[in-house]
Amino acid sequence: MSGRQNSSVPALRIYHPEHLRLGATLLLSIGLMVVPSFFAWPDWIMRGLLTVGLTLLAVALLMLFQARLRINARAMAVELLTGFIEKDATPSFVTDDDGTIHACNQAAQNRFQENDRETLAGTLRSVLANPSAVLFRLQSRARFEGAAREDIVTRRGHVRLAVHQMHGGSFLWRVEDIAERQPGRGSEAVPIPMITVGRTGAVLFMNEAARNLVGERVKSTDRLFVSLPVSSGEVNTITTKNGPLDVLVTELNRTQGRSELFLMEVSGAGLQSQQTSFEHMPVPFIKLAPSGDILSLNKMAMGMLGLDSRDNLKLGQLMEGLGRPMSDWLRDTADGLASNKSEFLRLSRPDKEVFVQVTLTRAVEEGKTILIAVLNDATELKTLEAQFVQSQKMQAIGQLAGGVAHDFNNLLTAISGHCDLLLLRHDQGDQDYGDLIQIHENANRAASLVSQLLAFSRKQTLLPEVLDVRDTLSDLTHLLNRLVGEKVTLTLSHDPVMRSIRADKRQLEQVLMNLVVNARDAMPNGGEIRVRTEAVTLEKPLKRDRASVPEGNWITVKVSDEGVGIPPDKLQKVFEPFYTTKRTGEGTGLGLSTAYGIVKQTGGFIFVDSVPDKGTQFTLFFPVYQEGEDDRAAAEANDEAPKAAPAPQHGEGVVLLVEDEAPVRAFASRALRMRGYTVLEAESAEDALRTLEDPGLTVDVFVTDVVMPGMDGPSWVREALKTRPDTRVVFVSGYAEGAFGESEPDVPNSVFLPKPFSLNQLTETVHAQLH
């Protein structure tokens, strides 16, 4: 294969068969031989020639058929390579059953540019000593299993050869060079010097610590060790750039004839005691029996495991989380069946949570098989992973909560709406009046619960206003004192220099009440709850837990108690919905999740600190409100606005009602008609646009759901307003006002009415739009 590349050379190299040319030549020869025979030769000669000609014709047709199959295979190879393999950085080949190369990608041409071969075996002779045997073995497995793969160790490094059988009998081969180093994992991450040695004594790999110790990369053990063979468990002398050096060598047997040698530099004192060298190794080491009994462990391992004694220990008692019996892992490693990959386990320490990365390898010591476990602290890595999983879980729960709340709001709108219609036909003296009131009140309680779900998912509708936190707490003081009871003392303290925030007052009060009630429940024997407000200025971002509070001016509200506290392993779960430490019937587990959602939707942050048996403190951060020009302009416009004209009476107008939920549409239509409005109904946006195609139809107000199958509410309204720009709009939805179309422009002359709404709320909103 040529290594020259230019713009005129095609990216794919296609190998063309000779069968088609030979078959065509043979057919022409048969024709030249047989046709003249019909005119010049005797009958018996003609019959013989005809027999021979037909035989040759059959052979030619067979050759043409085989050529056609090969052409089809090459066409498929071209299509496959052109699709995605040509872009692959790994050398790839397509061959037939005999190993003849149909095509190869650009990476293959670059990798094997010195080899101009038509077969894969010939191409790979520069990489493998006996490629034909390897290719035959993999191709036989691919015929049976569909695909096969094998990692091969060579002097030039590790090669992974993979094959996939394709339709038509062709085979796709990939030749991948496996990098020796895998930063952060495996042997390269171990800080102790380590080399990998092959059967013949070739040094296949040296980690960074070994390269630093020797001062260079060596290729064989005879250039590294002063005397051979290497004595495992004893002190050997190696040659370095700085001269001879004595090292303690531990040999670990590996698969496929390879072994790993760990080198530990020893001093004069270390020469007297190998155990001392093992004891002071700079990484945690554990020697194990295949049964799991710990034979010995060094000081670093004892410190990491939190042990005071070395006696009668088993590995399964010290760590957990393998996902299968620990004995199976140990036995497979001792038998050479394990894949020698690291496992992440959790230590069984009562004082703190620690994760370790355990690399378990087989070794031979005094003729007996033992296991060496090298430990790396992976707590930070697993903590980050747990935080990521937690954030993904919270996001998924938030989406679920928002979707459930939307569906429940539709149901509650229909229930409470039709209840309102029934109440209009019953007075207080009616025997059914009390039952209807019960239905109405319980529907409102259900709506409050759904509102908490929306608060957690941050999809509720907020009515923000400029607030002074001190005033809000003063208004709440009487209610909070009643909530905490007689055993608990509530203490409020405020920063004398306080600035305003912008938040929903009702929701902020709910957050404070939830926190105070939780503090009260944490102190069954009484105590003090302290609520403290403070104005703080952050000169640089405050990074805590998984959040980063930007620099600037903030108002903090701290609610602290002297209660039982929260254990460290449960601290990060307190904001999850339905998670509660209270007994059944004492709480829903939605209080803190609701507070979390409200604070985050307001633009703030909430943090928790707790010490078991000493108390808990929740800290809320709210951004200081900055008055803008838009606020001043709006205030001036309100001062100068002329007096409003008298509002029209109920019933003066035509309403186009668009709602895909039939029960909600039925209630809303009846409610509006009862107040005298003319109502046109549509069950979808497409139906509404078809209704508006009549140019003689006059519509004063659109009342439409936001989320519907097909075209949503804002989309069809924008389309309708192109021809009816003065029409007023009322959007209704079970979601929050800002939870839809945030990237789209605002719809003029529109208001939002959240579900569930009552009969009066709907009719009054429509009436206000007709001002």
Side-chain angles (χ1 to χ4, degrees):
M1 287 182 287
S2 174
R4 292 174 297 174
Q5 302 295 329
N6 54 58
S7 59
S8 63
V9 177
L12 302 179
R13 182 162 186 180
I14 309 301
Y15 295 78
H16 299 283
E18 299 296 327
H19 295 70
L20 186 61
R21 179 175 61 80
L22 292 175
T25 303
L26 187 57
L27 281 176
L28 180 60
S29 301
I30 294 169
L32 292 175
M33 179 178 64
V34 175
V35 172
S37 67
F38 286 101
F39 302 99
W41 295 335
D43 293 342
W44 63 274
I45 296 177
M46 287 193 297
R47 285 195 296 271
L49 289 174
L50 183 61
T51 302
V52 173
L54 290 175
T55 302
L56 292 175
L57 178 62
V59 173
L61 290 175
L62 179 60
M63 293 179 67
L64 288 173
F65 177 72
Q66 291 179 341
R68 174 55 57 189
L69 288 178
R70 290 174 179 264
I71 290 173
N72 291 340
R74 282 158 174 74
M76 184 178 67
V78 173
E79 181 180 357
L80 181 64
L81 287 168
T82 304
F84 65 96
I85 296 176
E86 174 57 24
K87 307 299 182 183
D88 195 349
T90 300
S92 302
F93 301 85
V94 178
T95 70
D96 61 11
D97 192 63
D98 297 328
T100 302
I101 298 175
H102 290 171
C104 63
N105 65 356
Q106 187 66 51
Q109 295 183 46
N110 296 337
R111 174 70 170 81
F112 301 98
Q113 56 184 341
E114 298 177 358
N115 301 51
D116 193 4
R117 308 282 184 177
E118 292 191 358
T119 64
L120 185 59
T123 301
L124 297 182
R125 288 196 186 280
S126 62
V127 178
L128 306 177
N130 187 13
S132 298
V134 177
L135 295 176
F136 177 77
R137 181 169 64 248
L138 288 175
Q139 190 166 302
S140 300
R141 287 171 51 195
R143 287 195 191 97
F144 179 72
E145 301 176 1
R149 187 183 69 180
E150 186 171 324
D151 293 344
I152 305 167
V153 181
T154 69
R155 278 187 171 272
R156 295 187 177 184
H158 296 191
V159 175
R160 174 170 294 167
L161 193 59
V163 58
H164 296 264
Q165 186 175 28
M166 302 187 298
H167 294 292
S170 297
F171 293 88
L172 170 64
W173 297 85
R174 301 177 80 247
V175 185
E176 182 180 1
D177 292 323
I178 304 176
E180 288 185 344
R181 299 186 205 174
Q182 296 180 357
R185 296 200 61 182
S187 304
E188 188 65 45
V190 177
I192 192 170
M194 186 277 295
I195 64 173
T196 302
V197 181
R199 289 188 182 94
T200 61
V203 176
L204 304 177
F205 171 70
M206 298 177 67
N207 69 355
E208 185 176 359
R211 294 192 296 273
N212 293 335
L213 178 66
V214 178
E216 61 180 346
R217 173 74 163 85
V218 295
K219 296 184 178 180
S220 61
T221 53
D222 57 359
R223 295 187 179 183
L224 178 61
F225 290 92
V226 173
S227 61
L228 294 175
V230 178
S231 300
S232 178
E234 299 180 6
V235 175
N236 295 254
T237 303
I238 63 173
T239 302
T240 71
K241 275 198 169 184
N242 298 323
L245 182 68
D246 293 322
V247 293
L248 175 66
V249 178
T250 301
E251 181 178 6
L252 306 180
N253 291 346
R254 300 288 299 277
T255 58
Q256 299 180 357
R258 292 179 296 162
S259 61
E260 287 184 348
L261 302 180
F262 287 86
L263 315 177
M264 182 62 196
E265 183 178 359
V266 296
S267 60
L271 290 172
Q272 300 175 4
S273 173
Q274 297 172 13
Q275 182 63 31
T276 303
S277 299
F278 174 80
E279 182 73 15
H280 294 90
M281 279 187 173
V283 291
F285 264 87
I286 303 177
K287 286 185 180 181
L288 301 162
S291 61
D293 294 316
I294 293 181
L295 304 177
S296 61
L297 67 168
N298 62 0
K299 281 187 176 181
M300 286 198 69
M302 290 192 65
M304 178 177 287
L305 297 170
L307 298 176
D308 297 325
S309 173
R310 307 171 189 252
D311 300 331
N312 301 323
L313 295 175
K314 278 185 169 290
L315 189 66
Q317 300 171 345
L318 304 179
M319 50 193 71
E320 59 189 7
L322 183 61
R324 59 178 174 137
M326 191 78 69
S327 58
D328 291 352
W329 182 39
L330 299 175
R331 184 174 59 253
D332 290 347
T333 305
D335 295 340
L337 303 177
S339 59
N340 197 44
K341 67 177 183 178
S342 299
E343 298 284 355
F344 288 92
L345 304 175
R346 181 181 182 274
L347 296 185
S348 304
R349 294 188 57 164
D351 54 339
K352 61 180 179 178
E353 189 173 55
V354 179
F355 290 91
V356 291
Q357 181 186 15
V358 183
T359 304
L360 192 63
T361 49
R362 179 176 177 268
V364 177
E365 190 173 79
E366 298 179 356
K368 295 182 180 180
T369 299
I370 65 169
L371 301 174
I372 301 292
V374 183
L375 312 183
N376 282 322
D377 192 341
T379 305
E380 183 177 358
L381 175 64
K382 296 299 290 184
T383 300
L384 290 174
E385 179 184 342
Q387 290 176 351
F388 175 74
V389 172
Q390 176 72 4
S391 65
Q392 294 291 95
K393 181 173 67 174
M394 296 291 278
Q395 181 181 1
I397 293 175
Q399 293 174 346
L400 174 64
V404 169
H406 170 263
D407 293 338
F408 266 98
N409 277 334
N410 276 326
L411 296 173
L412 293 173
T413 301
I415 294 172
S416 60
H418 284 90
C419 185
D420 287 342
L421 293 174
L422 286 173
L423 284 171
L424 293 176
R425 301 200 301 268
H426 294 76
D427 55 25
Q428 296 185 7
D430 197 309
Q431 60 179 359
D432 296 330
Y433 186 80
D435 295 336
L436 293 174
I437 290 296
Q438 282 294 322
I439 294 173
H440 193 273
E441 289 181 353
N442 282 281
N444 288 337
R445 289 180 59 192
S448 176
L449 183 62
V450 172
S451 176
Q452 287 183 295
L453 286 175
L454 283 173
F456 165 73
S457 61
R458 292 181 246 170
K459 292 182 178 179
Q460 65 173 343
T461 299
L462 296 181
L463 301 175
E465 56 183 297
V466 180
L467 299 174
D468 188 316
V469 179
R470 293 173 299 185
D471 296 339
T472 303
L473 284 170
S474 298
D475 296 340
L476 270 180
T477 301
H478 180 66
L479 177 59
L480 293 178
N481 280 320
R482 290 181 59 187
L483 286 174
V484 299
E486 297 178 355
K487 294 183 180 180
V488 177
T489 304
L490 180 65
T491 304
L492 278 71
S493 60
H494 302 294
D495 191 328
V497 180
M498 186 62 64
R499 302 177 66 180
S500 300
I501 65 172
R502 191 168 188 268
D504 187 313
K505 182 177 181 181
R506 181 175 59 87
Q507 300 291 353
L508 178 59
E509 290 175 347
Q510 182 180 350
V511 170
L512 296 172
M513 284 191 293
N514 282 335
L515 296 179
V516 169
V517 168
N518 283 342
R520 176 204 66 189
D521 295 340
M523 299 185 295
N525 298 323
E528 182 183 11
I529 300 175
R530 295 177 299 278
V531 180
R532 185 169 70 255
T533 62
E534 185 179 3
V536 298
T537 300
L538 298 179
E539 300 295 339
K540 59 181 181 179
L542 172 64
K543 294 185 178 181
R544 268 204 58 177
D545 301 334
R546 300 185 299 273
S548 177
V549 183
E551 59 186 21
N553 297 318
W554 297 86
I555 299 298
T556 63
V557 180
K558 297 181 180 180
V559 180
S560 54
D561 61 62
E562 302 169 341
V564 295
I566 305 171
D569 58 331
K570 298 180 180 179
L571 199 59
Q572 297 303 320
K573 299 181 180 180
V574 296
F575 295 119
E576 294 182 14
F578 306 112
Y579 177 82
T580 179
T581 57
K582 300 177 182 179
R583 291 177 296 182
T584 303
E586 293 184 355
T588 62
L590 282 174
L592 288 178
S593 63
T594 300
Y596 175 87
I598 293 172
V599 172
K600 297 298 290 184
Q601 193 173 358
T602 306
F605 297 85
I606 182 170
F607 302 107
V608 58
D609 299 282
S610 186
V611 178
D613 300 325
K614 291 188 178 180
T616 303
Q617 176 175 281
F618 286 89
T619 305
L620 284 63
F621 282 79
F622 294 100
V624 170
Y625 173 68
Q626 303 288 342
E627 184 179 2
E629 295 181 1
D630 294 339
D631 300 305
R632 292 191 292 270
E636 294 174 0
N638 290 334
D639 294 339
E640 299 175 1
K643 293 183 179 180
Q649 299 297 317
H650 276 294
E652 297 179 2
V654 178
V655 178
L656 175 58
L657 176 63
V658 186
E659 171 63 62
D660 62 303
E661 290 285 340
V664 178
R665 187 172 68 250
F667 151 65
S669 177
R670 286 183 58 188
L672 292 170
R673 286 194 176 101
M674 289 179 61
R675 294 298 173 95
Y677 295 103
T678 302
V679 181
L680 306 175
E681 297 183 31
E683 63 179 0
S684 67
E686 292 76 10
D687 288 345
L689 291 176
R690 281 193 291 269
T691 301
L692 294 175
E693 290 176 357
D694 183 1
L697 179 64
T698 301
V699 178
D700 300 300
V701 180
F702 298 148
V703 178
T704 177
D705 194 8
V706 173
V707 180
M708 295 181 293
M711 188 180 294
D712 61 19
S715 297
W716 85 260
V717 168
R718 292 189 186 97
E719 185 67 24
L721 290 180
K722 293 179 181 178
T723 56
R724 301 170 183 267
D726 298 328
T727 308
R728 303 284 177 155
V729 184
V730 177
F731 287 114
V732 297
S733 178
Y735 290 116
E737 182 175 5
F740 61 92
E742 295 180 354
S743 60
E744 299 290 341
D746 293 334
V747 176
N749 301 323
S750 64
V751 296
F752 182 78
L753 178 63
K755 295 179 181 178
F757 50 78
S758 65
L759 185 150
N760 287 334
Q761 288 173 330
L762 173 63
T763 55
E764 291 299 328
T765 302
V766 171
H767 176 65
Q769 278 295 82
L770 291 173
H771 274 210

